[in-house]
Amino acid sequence: MRPEDAPGDAPALDVAGLHVSFGGREVVHGLSLRLHRGECVALVGESGSGKSVTARALLGMAGAGASTNAARLELLGRDLTDAGERTWRSVRGRDIGLVLQDALVSLDPLRPVGREIEDALRIHERLPRAARRARVLHLLERVGMPDPVFAATRRSGELSGGLRQRALIASALALDPPLLVADEPTTALDVTVQARVLDLLAEIREAGTGILLISHDLAVVARLADRILVMRGGRVIEEGPTETVLRSPREAYTRALLAAVPTDRPRGSALSVRAGASDAATLPPATQYGGRTRTTSAVSGPAPTGHGSERPLLQLHHVSKAFDVPGGRLTAVDDVTLELHAGETLGLVGESGSGKTTVARLALALSTPDSGDVVLDGIDWSRRPERERRPMRPRLGAIYQDALSSFDPRWSVGRILADAAARGRRLSGRADSLVDDLLEQVGLEPALAERRPLTLSGGQRQRVAIARALAAEPEVLVCDEPVSALDVTIQAQILDLLDRLQRDRRLAMLFISHDLGVVRHMSDRVAVMRAGRIVELGDAESVFRAPSHPYTAQLVADAPRIVA
Amino acid sequence: MPAASVTSSSFGRRSLVLAVALVATLALAGCQAPESGASDEPVQGGTLVYASGDAEPVCLDPHVGGNYPQALLASQFLESLVSRDESGEIIPWLAESWTASDDGLVWDFTLREGVVFTDGTPLDAEAVKVNVEHLQDPATQSSTGYLALGKVAEVEVVDERQARFVLSSPDSALLESLSQPWTAIQSPAGIARGMEANCEAPVGTGPFVVEDWVKQDHVSLVRNDDYSSPPADAAHDGPAYLEAIEWRFVPDAASRHAALQGGQVDVIDNPQPDTVAAVEGDDAFTWINAPRPGAANRIELNSGQAPFDDVRVREAFIRAVEVDEGIEALYFGTASRSYSALSSVEPLAYSDPSRFETDLEAANSLLDAAGWTERDADGTRLKGGQRLTLRFPVSTNQSIPAEQSLFEQVQATAKAAGFDVVIELLDLSSWYGALFANEYEIVSAPYTKVGPDVLRILYHSDSITPAPSGYFANLSQLDDPEVDALLTEAAATSDATARAELYEAAQQRILGGFYLLPLYDQQNSFLLDSAVKGARALPTVSTPTFYDAWLAD
Amino acid sequence: MLRRAVALVSGAAFVLWAVATLTFFAIRLIPGDPAQAILGGPGSQASQEALDQVRREYGLDRPLIVQYLAMLGRLLTGDLGHSYALKVPVADLLSSQLGGTMLLAVMALVVAWMLALGLSLWSTGRSRFASIIGDGIELTAAALPHFWLAGVLIAVFSSGLDWLPPVSTGTPAGFVLPVVTLAVPLAGFLAQVMRESLLDAMQQPFVLSARARGESTTGIRLRHTIRHAALPAISLSGWALGWLLSGAVVVETIFAMPGLGRTLLQAVTLRDIPVVTGVVLLVALVYVFMTVLTDLASRIADPRLRQEGAR
């Protein structure tokens, strides 16, 4: 804290009636908010809610073509309602700091992070070189950077995800501003790293800096915020202390948001609310799941071994795969053994670089293992020449995180689906009805067949991706981070859809994600990967409730939850 | 010599007399300089900068090959046995006197006394002998000089100052041949250094010496302080006034002109017609117009194959084509129409305008009579299914844009009579290739040589036979025994009057056969800054000489 | 590291071999007898014996494939042969002419860079008007032919204003117009590329972060986006230098400067095969060298390129 900042009840930030519009279209309608030093206020909402625009407007950077006005906009008692660019420039960096998502692109990749951190010092205080250097090192230490001297000379791409996010935070804190705006500061990070960065932010809050936290992730918000404002369509629809909002939300929307979070929600329970239906519809009893008993309560006993008469549909036997990278050879997958059964979901969880995606590629025979076998329904899958594999490919389907880039942007939805259904052959006139059928199955209107993927929303695209994967009537579905890029309510709908489809078609699903809550909700069994190896494998509930491997324990402990 | 220069433009003047008067005036102005007043007093010293648009020679020794760019430079530092004055008379130079035997087979040349090459070697009969042997030696790869001395069997050293030329047959053009820079006399010691060294800096007796040659950039010439051998028509004797000449190679015409205007250079050659017209009347510049000797610039018709093996078709072409307006317009009045096979600087040139009157009707009836009665869709005449197509290869290295436009005029006017002229723009080597492969019906190929003997080279049937390299000079492929006889006899006759009559008769027959369409003189002129006084064009091959020149302050 | 070096050298060797081969066969497609070229050009009066002798001496009577292999053999020992027309060793000729052309090309590249950077920084990301103007200037500049531009520059600055000489003088003043003639079209092209990169960079989050620290627009341009704009131009510079070398022919001819361009032009006209081959190989070598250099420079300028394959 700076000596000239008088302690007291005066809010660091006092906003009333903030309106932001772009060319006549209003995106923020009369937002009011107060933030005190040492307090963390969270703005929660989905995409399009106006939370990011609000955050930027508070720095005078709402964007090109934006017109901002407010009844009151005071920062540290200073009136900024009519501030010009010069005034804002003197405020930014000194009185407010901004931390963005993903330091890989939020820091200039061509400049050493030390320089980025130095900038505020150079602009506002004109410290001499040596003093700046010293301050930069001090800041890096403060944010917990190991070996600050080395790190300061690195560029953002040369540091790991967590370290560069710390550097980004350091750059925002350079002049110790009383207010920090953090827009999705941990969204791009792995679970364990995220936990550490959240700890750091908590520390900063303790030290007296006010934090305005923007996030879509209620669990993260629960960890850090003192008060929550829920935004929807540019308006604040609910506001209150964290406990209150999360425990007993007033608004239906807030309740829907909370319901949509999969963490701690039992397997088979619906996350989303269909229009007209009542809350939290449950699914038919567990007995339909391949003979195994599944309940919503804690599972007792060891993970079921073998499945009686059922042979596994997809098996990986001791597969390994390594790649050449500069500086040697990287073992992406190290002696992994997995099994997938019909009607069952196997979750695969791990952090970035753990090898999950490589496993997916091996399962789909898009990549050949260096050693070990992949067997599909008893047939040798990995060792076959592609010529022989091709006719069997329709038995496997796949959906990915980024649906848009998996489509040919020139093709209409109808064409994409018809092409997938045709399996390389030509379809006779049934194409249209087939396409309509598929669209219906994923909950989309037939009219969408005319449109191109670019014109669809994220949720719609993912549904189309699922429809495409199902078009060839597969038995196995590989899902690689299928919902990571989606808003939480949309995510909920997609997860419910996947569940339903699995039930209806008895799919064997390999569900890969870094989000423990999602995996836990979706999986019957789960495998935990780390550095290419499976460190733990077993029934989902038992693995998460009572992990045997310390790494799993760490993951579980670090995963943010809404209910602590 | 076949002019392998970058640009060969032919200017003409209103009449031979006027031209001679103009050049004479300029030369006389130079001569009278010391008497005309203080501002005309020659100034010692200074460096003249010359910008040449011709191609840079590959070898400065004019014995090797032998083209016009070499002649331009060689005229500054090499000298020949004899020279020529404006009236066409052969005058003494390195040889002060000469006699010929009655049968014309022995020529004795008495050399000037006390002349020394710039490397100290004395000029003597032995030197002359060495030079002629150098020219005739295949290893020298001489073209022009070799042909010029084709009838010289050997040179004998009678005494120190007397060289005896022994010929294999009489050559009435020997003196004219010896006046050219391609037969200049170089130091034997210089020649003995070998081709590579002698190409870099030949050693001669001239008023300047080659000091340095920076390829693609310039040649530096410095004054020969011991100079003592000006030709008989020079304005003074003793060393030159100028201390040095910087000879630059500036291929682009616009840049050349801009450099002259900006004062960066003092003299340029190959000025474009529009440039000359633009500076007319401007006191700041002087124009020296000096057409090259030898042939005029003409279009030859290939009579060796169809369709021009038929004289009616040849005449029809000449009657159909209209060039007067084109020449007037495209050359801005700097070139005038020629009706002769020879250059207007040749006293023996025979001119016959009546042969070349345009008459489209006559052309059409001639073609009908010759059997070219049908026409195809675009008006080209047909005979037995064959189109009346005339291939016209044009060398872009030799024809300036104005001339290329003129050829397009020829194409357009010939079309009216049903000729389909196909112009092919080619680079020099490809152009020669087309000619040697006989793939042409009409072509324009200049030839520079001093004297009317050029007619023998161009129109004697012997010249149809190609050299081993494929080269031949008789592009009209004229094969007329009567012309052959006239030209052979003229080459041997020592009687001036008889010679003149023979050449006239030959020209009448050549022109009468409609083998060529004369256009204009080979254009050759220079633009000088008015500060340059005393410069003139040598009446031999019309190269500029700066021996009498000085730079006024 | 060693593997990279080996890959680089063998790649370069392959390019040079391909160039030599293509040149060898291409130049023999042009009509014109090399023996004539050696003996003084078209119109030479050489006797049949002389022509035959030259053919034997230079191996021109041997089958084409034998000649080709002989040429490769000579090249491997670094022997570029003798010029047919000028009778001097090709290597001597080229080394004396290379300096001028390289100087011209390098200066033109530097000037082009400056012009391109200035233009793209000035016109991008400001008003729509500036953007349109900048776009128009770039497009026009890139489309200007050298011979036209040279003529205009001479007309304005030499004949008109008399500020600069129209032909080279050896002094720095004589370099200005030739360099500008070469630089302007290249600048137009580079600016278009830089603009793309600049626009892209301006929309990146790090610009937002920089602004959030109080950085002014100028500061962002000069400290951040300029580097991003320059990246594609760096990798293009290798190609650009080669392109400049070939553009040098026109400029050298018009401004009467000695250099490789004119040497090449004269050699092609005279069918001087060894010189043509020599010049083409030299230019290819420069291309290869510059490509390596710009590859290195790109890696230094953009650390992201150093990490391909690693995560």
Side-chain angles (χ1 to χ4, degrees):
Chain A
M1 256 180 18
R2 293 180 292 191
E4 62 267 31
D5 302 333
D9 286 341
L13 177 68
D14 191 356
V15 184
L18 177 70
H19 292 263
V20 182
S21 42
F22 287 92
R25 192 173 51 89
E26 216 180 26
V27 293
V28 178
H29 310 277
L31 176 137
S32 299
L33 130 77
R34 273 214 182 119
L35 185 81
H36 292 82
R37 257 191 276 277
E39 176 184 30
C40 176
V41 171
L43 276 183
V44 170
E46 300 191 289
S47 43
S49 58
K51 54 192 203 299
S52 287
V53 176
T54 306
R56 283 162 179 60
L58 296 177
L59 280 116
M61 296 194 319
S67 60
T68 313
N69 54 61
R72 193 168 62 240
L73 177 58
E74 280 176 19
L75 182 63
L76 297 174
R78 192 165 161 199
D79 181 20
L80 293 171
T81 37
D82 286 320
E85 183 63 17
R86 274 194 86 114
T87 322
W88 274 117
R89 277 216 299 271
S90 68
V91 165
R92 293 178 203 141
R94 196 223 298 274
D95 299 329
I96 308 187
L98 177 66
V99 177
L100 292 168
Q101 178 180 7
D102 196 3
L104 186 60
V105 290
S106 299
L107 288 172
D108 189 337
L110 298 182
R111 288 176 98 213
V113 300
R115 282 279 159 76
E116 296 280 278
I117 299 171
E118 249 182 30
D119 268 353
L121 301 170
R122 180 182 41 82
I123 296 169
H124 295 281
E125 287 196 1
R126 293 157 214 269
L127 285 180
R129 250 302 190 70
R132 290 208 300 260
R133 282 287 149 75
R135 183 120 177 86
V136 165
L137 293 175
H138 171 77
L139 281 163
L140 285 171
E141 266 177 44
R142 185 175 164 206
V143 297
M145 184 75 77
D147 198 353
V149 175
F150 179 72
T153 62
R154 299 296 97 199
R155 292 173 176 78
S156 65
E158 294 167 303
L159 298 171
S160 74
L163 293 185
R164 54 180 178 246
Q165 201 70 4
R166 289 172 194 267
L168 182 59
I169 293 171
S171 73
L173 292 178
L175 288 170
D176 202 9
L179 175 62
L180 191 68
V181 176
D183 190 346
E184 308 277 8
T186 58
T187 306
L189 303 174
D190 282 333
V191 166
T192 45
V193 178
Q194 175 176 268
R196 304 285 86 77
V197 173
L198 288 175
D199 287 342
L200 173 61
L201 287 173
E203 253 178 62
I204 293 169
R205 186 194 57 186
E206 293 307 310
T209 309
I211 301 185
L212 179 65
L213 177 66
I214 320 288
S215 184
H216 71 281
D217 188 340
L218 286 166
V220 164
V221 163
R223 170 82 178 73
L224 204 51
D226 299 310
R227 283 189 303 124
I228 297 183
L229 278 74
V230 180
M231 281 187 80
R232 187 188 192 196
R235 289 190 168 77
V236 177
I237 60 157
E238 185 157 355
E239 159 171 15
T242 309
E243 279 278 315
T244 319
V245 173
L246 294 180
R247 280 260 171 78
S248 30
R250 272 193 331 268
E251 296 291 319
Y253 177 69
T254 320
R255 282 204 289 276
L257 272 185
L258 286 164
V261 177
T263 317
D264 295 324
R265 298 294 304 285
R267 176 97 173 92
S269 58
L271 302 172
S272 62
V273 177
R274 240 166 302 177
S278 55
D279 287 351
T282 49
L283 298 163
T287 49
Q288 288 196 344
Y289 287 93
R292 288 174 291 117
T293 324
R294 297 231 338 249
T295 63
T296 58
S297 59
V299 159
S300 52
T305 54
H307 298 277
S309 54
E310 283 217 34
R311 175 180 62 184
L313 205 45
L314 183 68
Q315 290 168 295
L316 278 74
H317 286 306
H318 299 286
V319 294
S320 296
K321 179 92 187 153
F323 296 104
D324 283 322
V325 294
R329 215 161 151 73
L330 176 70
T331 310
V333 173
D334 192 358
D335 194 27
V336 162
T337 302
L338 292 174
E339 279 179 359
L340 263 181
H341 298 258
E344 163 195 68
T345 303
L346 174 67
L348 186 57
V349 71
E351 302 196 295
S352 54
S354 56
K356 323 188 284 295
T357 303
T358 313
V359 168
R361 291 176 60 88
L362 288 169
L364 290 166
L366 295 176
S367 187
T368 318
D370 293 337
S371 62
D373 294 304
V374 181
V375 178
L376 177 67
D377 199 11
I379 306 164
D380 181 27
W381 185 231
S382 54
R383 298 210 185 283
R384 257 172 210 245
E386 181 58 28
R387 227 178 349 100
E388 293 174 40
R389 276 205 294 244
R390 205 165 286 139
M392 300 207 289
R393 281 200 178 277
R395 300 177 71 171
L396 296 155
I399 55 176
Y400 308 94
Q401 177 175 4
D402 184 3
L404 184 60
S405 59
S406 72
F407 297 136
D408 184 330
R410 297 170 303 135
W411 286 14
S412 68
V413 166
R415 188 168 169 195
I416 292 169
L417 295 178
D419 177 69
R423 305 173 210 188
R425 302 185 312 263
R426 291 187 73 83
L427 274 186
S428 51
R430 297 157 37 238
D432 275 348
S433 59
L434 201 67
V435 167
D436 286 348
D437 198 42
L438 281 168
L439 286 172
E440 204 189 302
Q441 290 208 22
V442 295
L444 291 173
E445 284 172 18
L448 247 59
E450 313 285 311
R451 312 239 314 249
R452 288 199 160 67
L454 261 175
T455 63
L456 303 177
S457 73
Q460 287 172 323
R461 285 179 207 147
Q462 200 62 299
R463 288 178 195 263
V464 172
I466 294 172
R468 178 179 59 179
L470 294 177
E473 317 227 326
E475 296 159 52
V476 179
L477 189 64
V478 175
C479 307
D480 190 351
E481 304 274 8
V483 294
S484 309
L486 301 174
D487 278 335
V488 70
T489 45
I490 309 295
Q491 173 178 281
Q493 291 168 6
I494 300 295
L495 291 176
D496 285 346
L497 174 65
L498 284 171
D499 250 344
R500 185 169 59 74
L501 289 169
Q502 184 193 35
R503 254 183 310 117
D504 291 347
R505 294 166 179 244
R506 281 202 88 222
L507 296 170
M509 204 151 72
L510 178 64
F511 194 96
I512 301 172
S513 181
H514 68 281
D515 187 331
L516 268 71
V518 169
V519 170
R520 190 169 171 175
H521 171 76
M522 290 296 291
S523 314
D524 298 307
R525 288 186 309 130
V526 74
V528 180
M529 269 190 88
R530 184 196 197 197
R533 308 187 71 101
I534 307 254
V535 298
E536 188 154 351
L537 171 63
D539 175 72
E541 279 307 302
S542 38
V543 166
F544 284 124
R545 212 162 282 252
S548 28
H549 195 281
Y551 178 66
T552 320
Q554 179 75 49
L555 279 184
V556 172
D558 282 341
R561 321 158 85 102
I562 297 182
V563 180
Chain B
M1 140 261 140
S5 51
V6 169
T7 55
S8 156
S9 45
S10 62
F11 285 110
R13 295 150 300 185
R14 298 266 171 229
S15 70
L16 177 65
V17 174
L18 196 57
V20 169
L22 187 60
V23 173
T25 309
L26 283 167
L28 282 171
C31 289
Q32 286 165 10
E35 299 156 16
S36 306
S39 63
D40 291 333
E41 195 73 36
V43 174
Q44 289 283 343
T47 302
L48 177 95
V49 183
Y50 182 101
S52 177
D54 268 289
E56 187 181 3
V58 295
C59 174
L60 292 185
D61 175 1
H63 288 189
V64 177
N67 63 14
Y68 203 77
Q70 285 172 309
L72 281 169
L73 267 163
S75 300
Q76 313 310 318
F77 53 89
L78 294 181
E79 303 187 300
S80 306
L81 285 176
V82 298
S83 185
R84 192 159 85 145
D85 66 15
E86 310 92 43
S87 65
E89 284 284 317
I90 298 295
I91 53 174
W93 202 353
L94 288 181
E96 64 180 20
S97 65
W98 50 89
T99 57
S101 65
D102 290 332
D103 59 1
L105 294 173
V106 176
W107 290 71
D108 283 333
F109 288 86
T110 308
L111 298 172
R112 201 155 165 161
E113 202 170 343
V115 179
V116 174
F117 293 103
T118 52
D119 63 355
T121 324
L123 170 70
D124 56 16
E126 180 66 34
V128 174
K129 180 179 166 75
V130 168
N131 269 271
V132 172
E133 283 169 356
H134 188 235
L135 275 168
Q136 294 178 326
D137 180 3
T140 308
Q141 301 171 15
S142 172
S143 193
T144 314
Y146 175 89
L147 284 176
L149 299 186
K151 292 184 181 167
V152 175
E154 60 163 335
V155 174
E156 289 171 9
V157 174
V158 175
D159 60 41
E160 212 183 301
R161 283 178 56 205
Q162 270 208 45
R164 174 164 293 163
F165 280 64
V166 179
L167 305 180
S168 58
S169 59
D171 183 1
S172 63
L174 180 67
L175 289 174
E176 285 155 343
S177 295
L178 287 172
S179 71
Q180 300 175 129
W182 303 298
T183 51
I185 307 298
Q186 305 177 45
S187 157
I191 291 173
R193 292 174 302 174
M195 203 199 288
E196 209 175 307
N198 209 40
C199 277
E200 285 289 310
V203 178
T205 56
F208 296 94
V209 182
V210 176
E211 182 183 55
D212 185 26
W213 180 16
V214 176
K215 301 275 190 324
Q216 307 284 352
D217 195 38
H218 69 279
V219 177
S220 296
L221 303 162
V222 290
R223 176 170 57 211
N224 173 9
D225 290 319
D226 300 320
Y227 181 66
S228 62
S229 51
D233 63 346
H236 79 290
D237 47 28
Y241 301 124
L242 292 169
E243 194 177 315
I245 300 178
E246 190 183 310
W247 193 281
R248 302 199 53 185
F249 302 104
V250 183
D252 186 68
S255 318
R256 222 162 41 241
H257 179 58
L260 179 68
Q261 287 217 308
Q264 254 191 302
V265 304
D266 302 307
V267 185
I268 64 172
D269 60 22
N270 295 295
Q272 298 298 291
D274 55 319
T275 307
V276 175
V279 300
E280 203 178 315
D282 187 346
D283 284 336
F285 302 106
T286 317
W287 183 47
I288 296 182
N289 190 17
R292 296 189 197 173
N297 207 328
R298 71 235 171 274
I299 294 181
E300 312 257 49
L301 285 63
N302 185 354
S303 64
Q305 58 195 22
F308 281 140
D309 50 356
D310 184 340
V311 62
R312 290 171 296 189
V313 182
R314 293 203 299 273
E315 189 181 346
F317 179 76
I318 287 175
R319 292 256 170 262
V321 166
E322 167 66 63
V323 292
D324 289 338
E325 277 172 27
I327 291 174
E328 187 61 38
L330 293 165
Y331 285 85
F332 291 83
T334 56
S336 50
R337 181 72 201 274
S338 162
Y339 300 99
S340 168
L342 290 177
S343 164
S344 58
V345 301
E346 295 296 340
L348 295 183
Y350 170 79
S351 179
D352 188 0
S354 66
R355 291 253 178 236
F356 304 103
E357 274 163 14
T358 314
D359 187 347
L360 187 57
E361 244 182 69
N364 276 319
S365 47
L366 280 163
L367 285 171
D368 288 332
W372 293 88
T373 44
E374 297 152 40
R375 292 217 188 211
D376 76 0
D378 53 71
T380 310
R381 285 177 183 266
L382 297 167
K383 178 178 174 183
Q386 284 272 54
R387 285 170 61 107
L388 189 53
T389 304
L390 305 178
R391 288 168 298 187
F392 190 177
V394 174
S395 163
T396 51
N397 293 88
Q398 290 177 332
S399 293
I400 62 171
E403 187 167 88
Q404 292 175 31
S405 299
L406 183 66
F407 292 158
E408 283 168 13
Q409 287 280 305
V410 166
Q411 181 185 47
T413 49
K415 191 169 166 58
F419 288 99
D420 174 31
V421 174
V422 177
I423 296 178
E424 294 158 4
L425 293 172
L426 301 167
D427 72 301
L428 194 62
S429 293
S430 308
W431 182 72
Y432 274 116
L435 296 180
F436 301 165
N438 234 329
E439 288 166 5
Y440 69 99
E441 273 68 53
I442 48 178
V443 70
S444 167
Y447 203 103
T448 303
K449 186 180 201 286
V450 177
D453 188 45
V454 70
L455 290 168
R456 181 182 57 85
I457 292 178
L458 293 176
Y459 298 112
H460 195 292
S461 61
D462 282 351
S463 288
I464 303 179
T465 317
S469 66
Y471 173 78
F472 64 98
N474 185 348
L475 291 169
S476 57
Q477 303 198 18
L478 208 173
D479 191 354
D480 182 347
E482 224 186 282
V483 170
D484 285 355
L486 286 166
L487 291 173
T488 315
E489 207 188 318
T493 313
S494 41
D495 180 333
T497 322
R499 191 171 179 243
E501 282 168 8
L502 287 163
Y503 277 125
E504 181 169 323
Q507 287 175 71
Q508 277 171 346
R509 217 172 146 75
I510 292 169
L511 291 179
F514 299 105
Y515 293 98
L516 63 137
L517 176 65
L519 296 173
Y520 32 67
D521 279 331
Q522 287 187 58
Q523 302 295 299
N524 192 54
S525 69
F526 312 92
L527 271 183
L528 301 86
D529 193 298
S530 53
V532 179
K533 315 274 186 205
R536 69 178 177 123
L538 272 180
T540 51
V541 294
S542 305
T543 50
T545 173
F546 298 107
Y547 166 60
D548 294 318
W550 76 93
L551 290 167
D553 300 318
Chain C
M1 195 61 211
L2 186 64
R3 260 183 26 185
R4 281 186 71 86
V6 168
L8 224 58
V9 169
S10 44
F14 174 76
V15 169
L16 290 175
W17 166 81
V19 167
T21 306
L22 284 170
T23 313
F24 179 87
F25 288 106
I27 203 170
R28 271 157 185 75
L29 289 174
I30 313 174
D33 183 3
Q36 261 194 54
I38 298 167
L39 285 176
S44 86
Q45 298 302 307
S47 63
Q48 188 61 50
E49 297 89 56
L51 283 168
D52 286 341
Q53 200 224 337
V54 158
R55 290 207 177 92
R56 269 196 306 278
E57 204 179 301
Y58 285 76
L60 295 168
D61 54 347
R62 293 188 277 173
L64 204 57
I65 192 74
V66 175
Q67 290 186 45
Y68 168 65
L69 290 170
M71 179 206 72
L72 279 187
R74 279 196 307 271
L75 283 179
L76 278 171
T77 59
D79 177 13
L80 291 172
H82 269 65
S83 158
Y84 287 168
L86 292 166
K87 325 289 182 213
V88 293
V90 173
D92 290 353
L93 188 62
L94 294 187
S95 57
S96 65
Q97 299 296 332
L98 178 63
T101 307
M102 279 304 289
L103 184 61
L104 187 62
V106 168
M107 281 171 63
L109 185 62
V110 169
V111 171
W113 259 81
M114 283 161 44
L115 290 174
L117 265 178
L119 182 63
S120 53
L121 280 176
W122 172 82
S123 68
T124 311
R126 290 179 203 262
S127 66
R128 191 164 155 67
F129 179 70
S131 203
I132 293 174
I133 298 278
D135 221 357
I137 294 178
E138 284 158 18
L139 198 60
T140 313
L144 291 175
H146 289 130
F147 63 85
W148 182 88
L149 185 59
V152 167
L153 288 175
I154 289 178
V156 171
F157 291 100
S158 302
S159 311
L161 297 167
D162 205 12
W163 284 353
L164 294 164
V167 295
S168 80
T169 50
T171 66
F175 262 94
V176 173
L177 290 183
V179 167
V180 170
T181 306
L182 277 177
V184 165
L186 182 61
F189 179 70
L190 284 180
Q192 289 176 321
V193 169
M194 283 182 183
R195 170 198 287 273
E196 283 296 309
S197 195
L198 201 55
L199 276 173
D200 182 62
M202 279 175 174
Q203 281 153 10
Q204 293 293 311
F206 65 80
V207 170
L208 209 58
S209 297
R211 283 187 68 200
R213 290 178 220 129
E215 187 74 81
S216 62
T217 320
T218 321
I220 289 180
R221 265 170 217 272
L222 292 178
R223 285 204 178 76
H224 292 269
T225 49
I226 194 176
R227 259 180 254 227
H228 292 263
L231 290 177
I234 291 178
S235 46
L236 278 175
S237 291
W239 164 85
L241 196 70
W243 181 81
L244 285 171
L245 285 179
S246 37
V249 181
V250 173
V251 168
E252 283 170 7
T253 303
I254 294 180
F255 292 100
M257 307 170 79
L260 278 184
R262 281 172 74 177
T263 308
L264 180 62
L265 186 60
Q266 183 187 51
V268 172
T269 309
L270 297 175
R271 306 288 188 268
D272 193 345
I273 296 175
V275 175
V276 173
T277 312
V279 173
V280 172
L281 276 174
L282 189 57
V283 174
L285 195 63
V286 170
Y287 254 111
V288 166
F289 180 68
M290 281 305 293
T291 306
V292 169
L293 211 63
T294 51
D295 190 57
L296 237 101
S298 285
R299 274 170 203 282
I300 293 175
D302 186 354
R304 295 174 289 190
L305 292 174
R306 298 184 205 159
Q307 290 161 14
E308 50 201 18
R311 269 231 357 121

